[in-house]
Every structure is written in C-alpha cells, then in structure tokens.
C-alpha cells in the first residue's frame, strides 16, 4: 500500500494529499511525530520533515516539491501543472509563492507560533510574530482574490497545484480559526470552489485531537 | 536575447546560471536591484526576487524552482535531474534541502546578515545569527562530504541540479570568505570537481564591487 507520512496541520502534507486525491491515487495516511526523530523515518528523510511518500514498490520520496513533481511524472493522467510551458511556469511560480513567501510571512507566524511551539515545547507564542502574520495575511488574500477574479483558477484556465498549494495553507490556518474570510470576497469564493472539489472531502472531515475548527471550516457554503 | 535578471551573490541566481551554462544555453546577465522595486520588474515577478528568466520569445519565468523545471522541459538535452524516477526524486529532495534547509540555517545567517543588511540599510549584522550560521555550516559540510563519498555526485551517478544548488550556496559564501574548507576534505574535493566544470567559469571570473574574494575562491586546485 502507498503510505503518506504526514501531520494533520502541515500545509505541505495537505498539498500532497490534495494532489493525490485529485489524481485519484489511493493512499494511506500515517501520522509521523517528527519531533521524536524516529530512526526509520530519518532514513527516509534526513531532514526529518513531513510529507514523505512511500510507494508500494518501496521507493520513498521526501519533500513536498519532490513528491508533487514525481506524481506528475509517474502518473501523468490529470496533470496538475498545466499544459503549455507558460502555464507550467506560472503554476510553479505560484507554488513557490505559497510554499515560500506565504509560508514565511503568514503560516509560520500563525500556525507555528500558536500550535507547533506548544506541541514541541518551544516556549510561548511570540505576540509580535502573530501580529505580523495577521497583517501579512491581508495582502496575500487580496492577491489571491485578484488572481481568482482575473483567471478561472489561480494559475490559469484549469485547476492546478497552485490552487492546492494555496488552499493547503489556508485550510490549515482556517482549521485553527485564523482566516477572516470577510477580508476578501473573491478569495472566499475561490476557496469555496476549492472546498467543493471531491479531493477536499477527506481533509475537511478530519479532526485534530485537542483543536476544534470553527463552524464554517467544513461548510461548503460558508 | 535571453536575459537572466540576477544579483551576483544570490545563490538562487547562481544555481540557474550553472544550469544554463551546463546546458550550453546562451544568456545575458542583467543586475536587478530588487530593493528599488522597479515597476517593470514587479510585473515580471510580483515577489520582486531574483532570478527571473526572460526568453527570446517574451516568456518570463520567475523563481529559481520554476526556471530550472522549465529549462528541463524546454531544453531536455543534458538533463539535470537524472534519468529514473528515483534519481529525479533524489535530485529534487537535495535541491529542496539546499534551497530550503541550508538556505535558512546557513546562507541567511551569514550572507544576509553580513552582506544584504548593509546593502539594504537594514541595520547591523546580528552576531548570534552569524554564530549560528557558522555552527550550522559544519554538519551541512559533513552531509555533503558523506554524500560525495557514497556517490559519484551528490544525488547519484551523474552531475545534477543537486550539485549546482549546493555549489551555488557554497560559492556565494566562499566569495565572502565564509567557508572553512579544512572542515571536510570530501566536501572540498567534491567542490573542486564542481569548480573544474566549464559551467563554473563565468561565475568564478565575476567580481562584485566592494567585495574581494579570498585567494582560493577561483583557484581550481585550492
């Protein structure tokens, strides 16, 4: 069986889960407590991060970038990057935007400070980081809204990994109640369209022990 | 003409320069002072980072990840990712390692603190960050040395983007005198092999105004 090692609130693991589900590739989830630094896991990924995908043939692939590119090459049906070179470049630019810029400016300041620090016993959340996270979220939602109003999906005419990368970060933040959707109507509408896709179902149904999501989290018409 | 917008010490731009040169794709370099936030540049890359590649047909591609994957698809001769799915996954895992983990733990703590802060007028270098950067460099050089002793090149039997990503970071740090090569003999030998490749020539010949590299920087038998 195909196994995805993950943590429920990891946006990088969520992106891969959405990609696998969109491609209808079956997989089993296994929670990996990366802070325990399990030797067998370190052998699969020396960086000791999730996600790691283990294929039925034994091949294990570490890092969400490597996994998504692998999935596109190994299972080319339902491509997630677009057809033309220009579309593929735009998809990847946006994946880098969300997994790099958005992750540093927003996700890290909110999710890491408020959830991971507690989990890892790394001290109290830093109030100035949390403030910065909320401030940075605003222009990012505006950018998403602008893209969603300009194009059918974030990177172009078809749904792509850019949508899943963005939705992965937003869904993890939404789970802990950190997204004020009233800030941008177009971003909210785009996210509602993402949530309505079948690939999103398992994510929305999952509950993390000790954290209850807001009522709108799994609501498709929020 | 193909134009690469860059900054001389950007490891991400250096990775793309090495990839282009290894593939023998001709290009012109143009320095982009990203801190000036030039409107025409922002239109090519809303994140306002280098590198950005502008193709002769007008297509512009932002982000070093998007550029390298584009080059592999648009110019498949001299592939830089490996042949098998497993080789390609390993190359990408290591590119993510150097552009993510190494960049955060080492490059940012040294190059950003010592060079970019001065350039951007963002205050004095943080001594504790610089200390952390030197400390983190040590295990990274050991990891590179271990990979280089176990395999012909970092990701496997052939030179790949993993080598260029690692060498890009190390060459930028080496330019400012931050690499103590005596720390790991195997890493040093691997880097000497990288430097000897023709694709490295232009990088090693380039000088950054106001910063003189150590004598060994461009020496192939250092």
């Amino acid at each position: 069986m195909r196994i995805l090692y993950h943590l429920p609130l990891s946006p990088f693991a969520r992106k891969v889960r959405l990609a696998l589900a969109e491609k209808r590739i079956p997989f089993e989830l296994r929670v990996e407590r990366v802070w325990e630094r399990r030797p067998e896991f370190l052998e699969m990924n020396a960086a000791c991060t999730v996600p790691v995908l283990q294929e039925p043939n034994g091949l294990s692939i570490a890092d969400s970038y490597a996994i998504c590119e692998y999935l596109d090459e190994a299972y080319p049906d339902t491509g997630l990057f677009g057809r033309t070179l220009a579309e593929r470049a735009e998809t990847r630019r946006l994946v880098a935007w969300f997994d790099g810029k958005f992750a540093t400016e927003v996700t890290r300041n909110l999710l890491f400070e408020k959830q991971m620090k507690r989990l890892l016993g790394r001290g109290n959340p830093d109030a100035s980081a949390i403030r910065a996270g909320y401030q940075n979220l605003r222009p990012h939602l505006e950018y998403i809204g602008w893209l969603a109003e300009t194009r059918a999906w974030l990177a172009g005419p078809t749904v792509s990994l850019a949508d899943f990368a963005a939705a992965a970060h937003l869904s993890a933040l939404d789970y802990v109640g950190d997204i004020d959707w009233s800030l941008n109507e177009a971003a909210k509408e785009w996210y509602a369209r993402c949530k309505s896709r079948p690939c999103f179902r398992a994510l929305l149904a999952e509950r993390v022990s000790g954290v209850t999501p807001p009522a709108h989290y799994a609501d498709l018409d929020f």
Side-chain angles (χ1 to χ4, degrees), chain A:
Chain A
M1 186 54 186
R2 186 175 293 102
I3 296 165
L4 185 72
Y5 294 88
H6 84 129
L7 283 168
L9 291 177
S10 158
F12 302 96
R14 285 183 171 232
K15 177 184 66 178
V16 172
R17 291 166 69 180
L18 292 170
L20 283 163
E22 181 76 15
K23 284 173 162 292
R24 295 166 197 233
I25 300 170
F27 64 101
E28 231 171 62
L29 280 173
R30 204 160 292 176
V31 169
E32 182 64 38
R33 292 179 192 83
V34 291
W35 52 91
E36 292 177 357
R37 300 184 66 77
R38 196 163 58 87
E40 297 84 355
F41 187 69
L42 277 164
E43 246 172 66
M44 287 196 288
N45 183 11
C48 206
T49 55
V50 287
V52 168
L53 182 70
Q54 189 164 44
E55 283 282 62
N57 65 7
L59 177 64
S60 61
I61 302 143
D63 188 85
S64 78
Y65 148 54
I67 296 172
C68 290
E69 296 286 343
Y70 164 81
L71 293 176
D72 198 58
E73 292 179 350
Y75 308 98
D77 291 352
T78 322
L80 294 180
F81 286 88
R83 280 163 313 110
T84 66
L85 288 169
E87 280 174 21
R88 297 171 72 78
E90 180 64 355
T91 298
R92 289 176 174 129
R93 176 185 78 81
L94 287 171
V95 170
W97 177 287
F98 292 109
D99 285 348
K101 194 172 168 62
F102 187 97
T104 308
E105 294 174 359
V106 183
T107 315
R108 207 193 137 75
N109 282 327
L110 297 176
L111 210 58
F112 178 79
E113 288 296 329
K114 291 163 80 172
Q115 304 295 326
M116 288 305 284
K117 265 192 172 175
R118 190 171 51 94
L119 206 59
L120 303 179
R122 294 254 190 100
N124 290 321
D126 175 347
S128 70
I130 293 173
R131 217 166 27 242
Y134 286 127
Q135 260 164 14
N136 295 337
L137 177 58
R138 208 173 276 260
H140 275 289
L141 281 180
E142 276 165 25
Y143 188 51
I144 290 170
W146 178 80
L147 290 170
E149 282 183 316
T150 319
R151 306 158 169 187
W153 293 92
L154 294 191
T158 52
V159 74
S160 78
L161 196 64
D163 298 284
F164 296 144
H169 284 272
L170 288 169
S171 72
L173 291 165
D174 198 31
Y175 188 97
V176 296
D178 272 346
I179 306 287
D180 176 359
W181 290 107
S182 74
L183 285 172
N184 192 291
E185 193 57 36
K188 182 183 168 179
E189 275 173 20
W190 159 83
Y191 186 61
R193 278 194 288 138
C194 289
K195 286 213 296 194
S196 303
R197 294 185 81 83
C199 69
F200 236 98
R201 266 180 219 150
L203 261 193
L204 296 178
E206 186 184 50
R207 289 297 169 268
V208 183
S209 95
V211 194
T212 309
H216 70 254
Y217 173 72
D219 181 0
L220 299 187
D221 301 309
F222 71 124

